[in-house]
């Protein structure tokens, strides 16, 4: 399955419009982060569950604390065959960005090929439409269950899902 979309104009970094959400494709990030306004977050992720907090270094400063939300059956609709994450985690804090609403790390495209073509101003994603084991895992602090160390994007084939 091949999906090609235009990058949003007047952006220095690769930002795409994914059903009304301006998503920054970030090759240096490992975890999705919400940077848009709260009303849009509430409308897009109406079925979310807070699971704890995570301290983040780099983006947002050193040791900035973000809430972590779990979304079940999160769907990225790139074409007629969407990519569904059985479990999807997103961080949310007070870090508002005017040029994009969400950081979509390149790690969410596990088992896929993606290309940002700055000369054509496009984002291209290729994936096997039969794959259906996309998920995310978290690593929690043993002593403090609400503290999350990291979030991992992965693909689990049928034998690994039980």
């Amino acid at each position: 399955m091949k999906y090609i979309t235009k990058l949003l104009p007047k952006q220095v970094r690769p930002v795409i419009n994914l059903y009304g959400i301006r998503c920054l494709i970030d090759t240096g990030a490992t975890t999705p982060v919400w940077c848009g306004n709260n009303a849009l977050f509430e409308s897009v992720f109406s079925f979310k569950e807070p699971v704890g907090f995570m301290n983040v270094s780099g983006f947002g400063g050193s040791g900035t604390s973000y809430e972590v939300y779990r979304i079940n059956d999160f769907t990225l609709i790139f074409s007629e065959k969407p990519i569904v994450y059985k479990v999807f985690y997103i961080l949310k804090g007070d870090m508002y960005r005017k040029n994009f609403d969400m950081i979509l790390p390149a790690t969410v495209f596990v088992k896929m090929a993606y290309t940002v073509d700055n000369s054509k101003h496009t984002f291209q994603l290729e994936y096997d439409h039969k794959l259906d084991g996309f998920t995310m895992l978290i690593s929690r602090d043993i002593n403090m269950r609400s503290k999350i160390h990291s979030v991992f994007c992965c693909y689990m084939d049928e034998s690994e899902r039980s």
Side-chain angles (χ1 to χ4, degrees), residues 3-88:
Y3 169 79
I4 300 173
T5 189
K6 287 285 191 187
L7 298 175
L8 292 181
K10 299 179 184 174
Q11 297 284 341
V12 176
R13 296 179 279 180
V15 178
I16 62 172
N17 186 341
L18 194 57
Y19 41 88
I21 303 169
R22 297 167 303 156
C23 297
L24 169 67
I25 307 298
D26 191 338
T27 59
T30 57
T31 307
V33 179
W34 184 260
C35 306
N37 69 52
N38 289 329
L40 184 58
F41 180 79
E42 293 299 325
S43 69
V44 171
F45 302 111
S46 58
F47 299 100
K48 64 191 176 306
E49 171 191 351
V51 294
F53 69 95
M54 183 173 168
N55 292 328
V56 177
S57 295
F59 171 80
S62 179
T64 304
S65 186
Y66 288 83
E67 297 172 287
V68 179
Y69 290 91
R70 174 187 169 131
I71 295 110
N72 293 324
D73 298 317
F74 178 72
T75 304
L76 293 175
I77 303 171
F78 287 110
S79 62
E80 61 272 4
K81 176 61 177 155
I83 300 165
V84 179
Y85 286 82
K86 294 308 286 175
V87 174
F88 189 86

Side-chain angles (χ1 to χ4, degrees), residues 1-3 76 78-84 109-114 125-134 155 157 161:
M1 185 69 51
K2 185 186 278 189
Y3 169 79
L76 293 175
F78 287 110
S79 62
E80 61 272 4
K81 176 61 177 155
I83 300 165
V84 179
F109 304 120
V110 65
K111 295 267 189 184
M112 301 174 220
Y114 63 90
L125 183 66
E126 293 183 62
Y127 58 98
D128 183 344
H129 71 280
K130 296 179 188 119
L131 296 178
D132 67 351
F134 297 104
Y155 176 81
D157 62 29
R161 290 184 225 162

Side-chain angles (χ1 to χ4, degrees), residues 53 139-149:
F53 69 95
S139 168
R140 291 185 182 270
D141 187 303
I142 294 173
N143 299 316
M144 185 188 301
R145 297 286 299 155
S146 64
K147 184 176 182 184
I148 296 167
H149 288 294

